[in-house]
Structures are given as structure tokens and as C-alpha cells.
Amino acid sequence: MLDEAGRALRDELLQVIRRGAEGPLDDAAFDTLALRVFAYNHTRVPAYAGYCRARGREPGTVTSWRDIPAVPTAAFKEVTLLAGGAEAEAVFRTSGTTLGRAQRGAHPVADLSIYRHALRAAFATYLLPDRARLPFLSLVPPAGDVPDSSLSFMVTDVQERFGAEGSATFADPDGLDLPGLDAAVGAAVAEDRPILLLGTSAAFIHWLDQLVAAGRRHPLPDGSRLMDTGGYKGAGRDVPPDALRQAYRDRLGLPAHHCINEYGMTEMLSQLYDAALADHHAGRTRPPRKAAPPWVRSVAVDPETLEPVPPGATGLLRHLDLANIGSVAAIQTEDLGRVDEQGLVLEGRAAGAPPRGCSIAMDLILRETRG
Amino acid sequence: MTPFDSFHLPALPAGHPMELMTAGRLKCRFPAPTAELIEQTVEALREARRTLGRRPVDDVVEAVDRAAVRLADPGDPLRQEAEDGVGRATGYSPAMTRLVLDRMTADWRAPALRRLLRAELGDPAALDRFLPREGDRRTRAYGPGLSFHVFAGNVPGVAVTSIVRSLLVKAPVLAKLASGEPVLPVLFARALTAADPGLGAAVATTYWPGGTPEPERVALDAADLVVVYGGEEAVASVRARAAFGSRLVVHGPRLSAGLIAAGALEGDPATLARDVARAVATFDQQGCVSPHAIWIEDPAGDLTDRFADALAVAMDEVERVLPRGRLDAAATSTIHQERGAAELRGHATGTTRVLTGDGTSWTVVVDRAPGFRPSCLNRFVYLRPVARVDDAVEALAGTAAYLQSVAIAAPAELWGDVAHRLAMAGATRVTTFDRLPWPPPEWHHDGSGPLQELVRWVDLED
């Protein structure tokens, strides 16, 4: 739980979140909140304070969210980044291994209510712009089975909050129940009842491979949609996003704007989504972009200097997530992408490169995905 | 720009279709890797062996020497092509490329090769005729009928050294180039052909994407010696497909380290720091001989920070004379991630201190936590203070599966004992920091004799 000052800040943020993921928050208002969250992170997380001091960027001298020192995602593996005095209501962990011993990133969450409100607002905006009530069929193990997975927490929460009767989960920590999923999807098709599918890209690739092998298709009823997330870990092969979209169309009859990729990470309590469905519903058009809720801002930085690159240029993505009140809001990722006034384009990972020489590389450490 | 021809194939039919690939910033052209092309190549190499087998080993030494002279001569167009092509493919700075070419070609000169032959075989004439041995017999050493080399990585010279070892035992060479450095072996083969066409005909080298089934099946079926460089997956894949009865020589990824005894830090640490900085900087730390971490015996806890400061000065100095090469976004991103994580660890626990050069050029992390952490490389080194030398040996023993060279700086009377303990922990080479990047040609590469592991001894009991 957060202390009194943290709760006051949380309540202000919740006001913003309640206005929705497309609600207003102009630059000045964002900066004001960002600098207050920064000051709070700085006083409550001593390691972060030292990190900021070493950079000469501290509350009082920083005037824009872009100048707030960002902590690398790798630091979550090393250091507990939790507001001092707070007790974590949950600890979410990344999956990953290293030379011989498990070393996983940990994000202790001081106040789950922020996470709940943030994830629901963004999910509703980008997956349910029409406020549809659909059965949610999930390929993500339920939160009860995997209490340290932020993704399981999120999927279980939206399933309970927004899912209609008939919602079900076809995964547990041991694996996927694809026959069960097939039966449920087949029934929905037979009854002409639209559904919402949720899962990791890897899980969907696995399922689509089986559908292809069996020569089967599920022509999903109109209004059906799909949310996928994460890398392709466990899929056994890489599938480019476009090819995956094509497979969703071929096997499930889903148009591209009904297939929404979620971009999130254990280290951040907020998520970004493809804006296609929300745009489609609102009659807007824009090139393919991920959209952030107003309480998150992103910038691409130069991989060598870590200085912001011009809008539209490719760089390492850095996010400022106001929902991270209880840890550190500014996160330096290893994701490559570009950011312009229309949104964000994800271009891949700048990590886990194979060894160039004949030395053993630390690539095992770098093989991280969100758990 | 015209693509570089990343192949040397004595039996390449005219008009064979070509394919393209890009190595770093070098566009390369290679023949479509058909089964038929490799079959014809194998046939040509077998033919070349009939002649090669009858020639004295000194012919090989002389021809390799002449090729090395050209690759070492800054005035020779072949050397210029090597500097340009290797630089583009690997991303190494021009100064680093020149240094590596200078040091590697020295290993292929006649005196070095003769020393290697003597160290490995006693009398090199054992490759030319049956020599009297202990007991009532004579013996002669034969190389394999066909050696197939699968290269990996981008450290220039490693592949050529592997080719030279096979040629010295009169084995024809079929080599699959690494996409990281598809230049130097080709230029070497061209120089060798110019020096001695008969010997040049015994070397065939080309590129194809790793795991391409057809050319590899033909090569693995034909070879009776397979030399494979690469990671676990690549090695396992080759091992599974190698012909029954063929010999496999594996050079997997390795890890090296350093160890400084308190006694070596009594005076001014500048000289030692310079040697350590060079060892870290060479090959931009991507070599199997590059140290990931240096342990420092520091019982009172007052030596490491002083040495770190001296090392920082030396790393800056090395950056001036041997600038680090070009890195991709993944590599620089990883350096930033590792630096930031180490800094935050330091602020949280007081166990780390991070020193950095301009941009991502170099990083020294003093890490007082026990254990070992692999470096992300590209001039990023850990200094790990320990109370006793044994603590370092124990931490290193945890890496035994990968451990190769350990450089030590210690008073002379400690060397034998420390070397023994490091060997027990898995090291196959104990050396000084200045020699660490440059093992001699006759070194027991990963613990085996570089020529001994290639030859078959034949006894003649007449």
C-alpha cells in the first residue's frame, strides 16, 4: 500500500484514468503530473534517487517529462524498485533464465487499484469501443494459477469485468487446451455468437498451426475480435506480424482492424494497443499505430547516446507511465520503434543479439519475456 | 559497389548461378550451394590430395608463408582488400583490423609454422616418411582425406588458422564461411593459389546459410574430419549429421578471465592497467580469449578502486589508439541496460561502482558481490574484489563448462600454485595479461594439440 502522499497522487491519477483512455490530458497537465510522480519516486526509492543524482537530473531541475531519468528494464532484475515503506500488494515477474540460475525481473506493485483501473480503461477503449458484451475465450493461464504474472492478472481481470456469459480459459501453467478452445469456438460459430479471443502470439501461432494442419477454419461471427500480445517465445518459430494477421484472416475470418496487438511489459502498469478497432469504430483513419492512454507518453531515443531522436525516427522506446507511482515511472526499454503525433510503431527488439565472436555471450540473460 | 566474391572454389563451373548476402556492411556474392556443386568440389579436393600427399610438408610451410607475407604487407593490394573487407564485415575499427591482421599473419609465417610442427609432432618429417620410433617399428602421421570446416563468428584469422592446421597435415580443406567474416579465408586461399597452385587447389571455401541441408549433407558425408566452430545448437546439428567414423573437433564459445594477486598491485598499477585494457579491448572483447571479469585479491578492500581508476585511464588511452568498432542498436542498448542496472545496484546496495568512457566506448564495473556475471562484451569488464585468491578460483569453477584462458598477475612464487588451482577449476590456459589476446600457434587450443587432434598415426612393423 502507498503512504498518504502516494495515495493522494494516486487519487489524482485515478481522476485522469476515469476520463478514459481517450480522455483529455494536455502537455502541460501531463508534465505537471509527471514531475510530481517523479518527485514521489525520487523521495521514496533511494536507489533511484542516487541514480538521478549521478545524472544531475533531480526534482526541481527537471522541467519536462522527457528529462526524467529512465531506469533500464534490466534493473528490475537487480534491484527492488518499490516506494519505501510501502508493502507490495503483488509482485509481478518476467520469465527468463541466465547462466545456471533463474534471474527474473520483479515489479512489486504497491497499489493494485491503479493497475486495475489503468488496464480496464485502456482495454475498454481499444478492444471494446462499441461496448460489446462478448464471451472472452482466453489462452492465458488464469491469475489464480500464476499469481506473479502481470499478463494473467490483466486477462483474468478484464474477463471478469467485461466478459459475457460463456467466457472461459483454455490454458493452465502446464499448457494449452486447444481441443477445448476448438469446441468453444465451434459452438460460437454454430450459434452465430461473436467472441473475443485473448492470448499470446505464441499461443495463437500454435493454435493456427494446428488448424492449418487439420485443414480447419472457424469463420467467426461478425463483431468477433482478438487480442494478442508478447513475443513469440515458445512458438518454436518467428512469424512476422503481417503473416500472423493474414493467418487470423484466413483461419478465423477476422479483418485486420479486429485483431489488436497489445504492447505491455511487467515493468509498466499501463498498456498500449493497436488503435485500429477504436479508429474503425469512430470512423477515423490513420496509418497502423499503437496508441497510448493519456497517462503514458513515449519517446524514441538514440541507441548510442540515449538522446531523443526526431519524431518518426527509429530508436529505443522510453516510456513515462504515471501509473508506476509506487516504483519508477520512466522506463528505458530494449524495444525498437518510432513515435510520431499519430502514435507508436513497434519495430522489434534490440536485445539478445547472437554472439558476434567466439566468446560466450550473455544472451541467455537477455532472453526475457513478460510473464 | 561490386559485391565481394566470398568463395574460392577450384571446381566452380562457368555460369553457375550466384546468390547475395550482406555481412555487416559488406555485400557478398556466393555460388548457389547445390549438392552438385559440393560433390564436384569434393571430387576436385580428393584429386588435389593425391598430389599433396606426395609433397614434403615444407612445401606447405613455404606456400603458407608466402601467402602470409602478402597479407601482412601494407603495400600489397591483397592486404588492402583484406583491411577494407574485414573492416566492413566485422565493424572493427581500421586500427583494430590492422592490429589483428598483423598479429594473425605472424602466426602463419614459416618460423611459427615450423615451431608448431615441432611442438606437435616432434620431427615434422613424420608427415613425409616413416620414422624410427621406440620399439621395433616406424611411424608416420597422416592427415584426414578430407577436412570439412564450419566457421562461426567474426574474429578475423580464426578461420585461416584452422585451414592452415589442416594443410600442415596435408589434408584438403572444404570450409563453410561464417557470415560474420567471409573475407579473410577467401583472400588467403587466393594468395595461397598464387604462391602454389597445387596447394591452392586443395582449399575450397564458400558461404551458405548455416543449416542449408544439401551442401552440408554432401560435405558431412564426404569428410573424415569435421572441425566445427559455433554455439551449442550449431555443434549439435553438425554432430548429429556427421558421417559414422568421422572425427569431430569442436570449438564452442568460450569464456576467459583475469586474476590479480594483491602482491601485483604494490607499486604503480598503470602498466598492469594498460595490459588489462589491451586484453579487454582486443577483438572488442568478442574473442574467446577476451576476459569477462578480473578478480582482484584485495583483503583490505583498498586496492580495487585504485586499480579501477588506473584501468579507466588505460581504457580511454586504448580507445584513442584502437577505437572500438561499430555496434548495432542491440549491442549499445545492452551496454546501457547493463550499466544502468549496475548503477542502480550500486545505489541500492553499495556493492557496485560504474566507470564509463565516452558514449558506450568502454565500461568498468567494480562489483563486490560474490560470484560471476557474464559481460555483455564490447569493452565492458567487471572487477571483482575478493578476500582470497581461492574465492576467485571458486567463482571461476562455476564457469568450467566454458572456461578457457585465465590471465594472472602475481608474484612469481605464486604462479605454479595458482595455475594448478585454475587448471583444476577448468582453465586450459594460464597466461599474462599482455599475452592473453594472442595465444601462440602451438597452443593447446581448448586443451587439445592443434595438429595432434587432426592426425592418424600409422605404425609400420617391418
Side-chain angles (χ1 to χ4, degrees):
Chain A
M1 207 174 111
L2 293 165
D3 61 16
E4 200 182 327
R7 289 200 299 276
L9 206 46
R10 173 200 66 189
D11 292 342
E12 272 189 66
L13 176 65
L14 291 180
Q15 298 276 338
V16 173
I17 294 176
R18 282 201 192 94
R19 296 202 294 263
E22 291 186 325
L25 191 66
D26 64 25
D27 289 355
F30 184 84
D31 263 335
T32 305
L33 265 178
L35 295 177
R36 289 178 55 203
V37 170
F38 173 43
Y40 185 75
N41 294 160
H42 183 273
T43 50
R44 298 301 193 279
V45 186
Y48 182 53
Y51 184 80
C52 296
R53 199 177 317 119
R55 279 159 180 69
R57 291 185 179 183
E58 297 193 86
T61 63
V62 168
T63 56
S64 157
W65 69 268
R66 285 188 179 77
D67 298 328
I68 296 173
V71 302
T73 45
F76 284 83
K77 290 195 293 263
E78 316 272 351
V79 182
T80 304
L81 296 168
L82 175 67
E87 211 166 288
E89 293 185 358
V91 179
F92 295 129
R93 293 179 197 283
T94 58
S95 58
T97 57
T98 177
L99 206 71
R101 73 200 154 98
Q103 187 178 20
R104 302 168 69 195
H107 184 185
V109 179
D111 188 323
L112 280 173
S113 73
I114 304 176
Y115 186 33
R116 263 193 215 101
H117 283 93
L119 74 87
R120 288 174 188 170
F123 186 89
T125 297
Y126 297 111
L127 266 304
L128 305 168
D130 51 356
R131 298 175 177 261
R133 293 289 291 183
L134 307 168
F136 282 23
L137 305 187
S138 163
L139 284 175
V140 177
D145 286 359
V146 207
D148 63 356
S149 162
S150 60
L151 178 62
S152 289
F153 183 96
M154 178 184 125
V155 169
T156 299
D157 186 80
V158 295
Q159 213 172 12
E160 286 170 359
R161 174 85 181 172
F162 300 117
E165 198 184 329
S167 293
T169 294
F170 301 95
D172 64 25
D174 296 326
L176 303 174
D177 172 18
L178 294 183
L181 177 69
D182 269 326
V185 172
V189 172
E191 295 163 22
D192 197 27
R193 194 156 43 94
I195 54 170
L196 190 153
L197 293 161
L198 304 116
T200 61
S201 303
F204 282 123
I205 290 167
H206 197 56
W207 184 40
L208 291 167
D209 280 350
Q210 289 203 357
L211 292 180
V212 170
R216 292 180 57 193
R217 287 188 164 80
H218 292 296
L220 296 182
D222 282 352
S224 295
R225 62 205 69 180
L226 176 151
M227 185 205 88
D228 63 8
T229 185
Y232 304 120
K233 192 187 178 191
R237 63 199 175 87
D238 285 352
V239 178
D242 286 348
L244 193 52
R245 291 282 169 280
Q246 187 60 43
Y248 291 145
R249 177 183 286 276
D250 287 352
R251 291 291 138 186
L252 306 173
L254 287 173
H257 52 68
H258 276 62
C259 301
I260 299 303
N261 181 250
E262 182 251 15
Y263 169 57
M265 60 193 75
T266 302
E267 297 84 353
M268 261 172 76
L269 290 186
S270 302
Q271 302 80 38
L272 285 76
Y273 289 88
D274 287 336
L277 185 57
D279 285 351
H280 178 74
H281 181 71
R284 292 183 301 239
T285 55
R286 66 173 129 178
R289 288 290 186 278
K290 287 196 163 46
W295 56 90
V296 177
R297 300 254 166 138
S298 306
V299 64
V301 301
D302 183 279
E304 168 71 19
T305 64
L306 296 187
E307 291 299 319
V309 298
T314 296
L316 296 170
L317 295 174
R318 176 186 291 175
H319 309 291
L320 194 295
D321 181 2
L322 297 178
N324 277 18
I325 291 173
S327 54
V328 174
I331 306 290
Q332 180 60 58
T333 75
E334 299 173 274
D335 297 320
L336 281 170
R338 45 185 217 272
V339 180
D340 60 23
E341 68 282 0
Q342 312 230 52
L344 179 149
V345 178
L346 206 53
E347 294 186 344
R349 294 273 291 166
R356 282 152 57 93
C358 43
S359 176
I360 184 97
M362 50 170 287
D363 60 333
L364 291 179
I365 284 185
L366 298 174
R367 247 177 248 152
E368 282 284 339
T369 57
R370 176 187 183 204
Chain B
M1 215 182 108
T2 348
F4 177 78
D5 280 343
S6 59
F7 58 90
H8 171 88
L9 290 172
L12 181 66
H16 189 88
M18 291 286 166
E19 294 179 12
L20 293 172
M21 68 111 164
T22 305
R25 293 191 177 169
L26 183 72
K27 202 165 146 191
C28 300
R29 202 166 72 123
F30 61 94
T34 60
E36 199 184 15
L37 175 67
I38 303 306
E39 278 159 10
Q40 290 164 350
T41 302
V42 164
E43 211 36 62
L45 291 172
R46 290 208 165 111
E47 183 58 39
R49 189 202 182 208
R50 280 187 264 280
T51 328
L52 180 59
R54 283 195 294 271
R55 297 180 61 182
V57 64
D58 215 53
D59 281 7
V60 179
V61 169
E62 289 294 336
V64 170
D65 179 76
R66 268 173 294 178
V69 166
R70 292 191 56 195
L71 286 169
D73 175 7
D76 193 299
L78 203 73
R79 160 72 179 222
Q80 288 154 11
E81 201 177 352
E83 284 186 23
D84 180 65
V86 169
R88 283 172 197 275
T90 62
Y92 288 138
S93 66
M96 179 62 73
T97 305
R98 286 193 295 270
L99 173 69
V100 173
L101 286 175
D102 289 347
R103 296 295 301 235
M104 288 290 190
T105 49
D107 288 354
W108 311 325
R109 298 297 312 275
L113 298 177
R114 293 201 176 99
R115 203 172 65 231
L116 167 62
L117 283 162
R118 284 195 305 273
E120 284 292 285
L121 305 173
D123 185 349
L127 284 160
D128 295 338
R129 56 183 191 275
F130 285 93
L131 296 181
R133 277 289 178 105
E134 298 290 314
D136 190 13
R137 61 170 184 160
R138 293 183 290 154
T139 63
R140 182 172 171 181
Y142 286 85
L146 177 67
S147 66
F148 173 44
H149 301 235
V150 181
F151 296 128
N154 66 344
V155 175
V158 171
V160 175
T161 293
S162 191
I163 292 172
V164 167
R165 287 173 184 167
S166 280
L167 290 176
L168 285 175
V169 299
K170 304 185 192 176
V173 173
L174 172 60
K176 178 190 132 32
L177 298 168
S179 61
E181 204 285 88
V183 178
L184 201 54
V186 173
L187 297 177
F188 172 78
R190 284 189 209 156
L192 192 69
T193 306
D196 186 330
L199 199 56
V203 179
T205 181
T206 186
Y207 173 79
W208 61 75
T212 310
E214 279 302 278
E216 292 189 3
R217 180 186 56 79
V218 176
L220 288 168
D221 282 351
D224 51 354
L225 172 79
V226 180
V227 183
V228 54
Y229 290 75
E232 236 167 90
E233 274 175 41
V235 169
S237 153
V238 168
R239 195 189 293 274
R241 290 176 296 151
F244 179 77
S246 64
R247 199 185 292 196
L248 200 60
V249 173
V250 173
H251 292 293
R254 294 282 166 181
L255 175 154
S256 292
L259 171 56
I260 299 174
L265 287 174
E266 273 166 7
D268 181 0
T271 307
L272 179 57
R274 203 160 53 233
D275 289 344
V276 171
R278 280 258 170 176
V280 172
T282 303
F283 312 115
D284 289 351
Q285 208 183 1
Q286 294 159 3
C288 52
V289 290
S290 303
H292 283 240
I294 317 285
W295 276 265
I296 298 177
E297 184 195 11
D298 189 2
D302 56 346
L303 299 173
T304 306
D305 277 313
R306 201 167 65 100
F307 185 72
D309 293 331
L311 184 56
V313 172
M315 291 302 293
D316 262 336
E317 176 61 29
V318 172
E319 177 63 20
R320 273 192 292 281
V321 294
L322 280 177
R324 198 207 58 207
R326 156 173 57 78
L327 295 180
D328 59 14
T332 56
S333 167
T334 302
I335 291 171
H336 286 302
Q337 290 277 329
E338 292 295 301
R339 278 182 180 178
E343 265 186 80
L344 279 155
R345 213 160 66 236
H347 293 301
T349 64
T351 55
T352 63
R353 179 177 162 222
V354 181
L355 297 85
T356 60
D358 283 346
T360 56
S361 60
W362 59 262
T363 308
V364 173
V365 176
V366 176
D367 191 341
R368 295 175 191 280
F372 167 76
R373 173 186 294 266
S375 161
C376 60
L377 307 179
N378 300 310
R379 305 193 180 182
F380 189 118
V381 70
Y382 290 96
L383 299 183
R384 313 197 73 96
V386 284
R388 304 166 310 138
V389 167
D390 271 347
D391 298 334
V393 175
E394 201 176 300
L396 275 168
T399 70
Y402 301 106
L403 189 58
Q404 186 201 69
S405 302
V406 182
I408 59 180
E413 65 274 14
L414 293 180
W415 268 72
D417 179 49
V418 173
H420 172 69
R421 281 187 279 171
L422 289 170
M424 295 295 281
T428 54
R429 176 171 169 247
V430 179
T431 183
T432 57
F433 282 97
D434 63 323
R435 294 168 72 170
L436 179 60
W438 312 110
E442 63 274 16
W443 74 316
H444 288 113
H445 189 170
D446 298 336
S448 299
L451 300 184
Q452 281 171 20
E453 65 182 345
L454 306 183
V455 298
R456 169 172 60 94
W457 288 98
V458 177
D459 290 342
L460 174 58
E461 297 155 1
D462 55 350

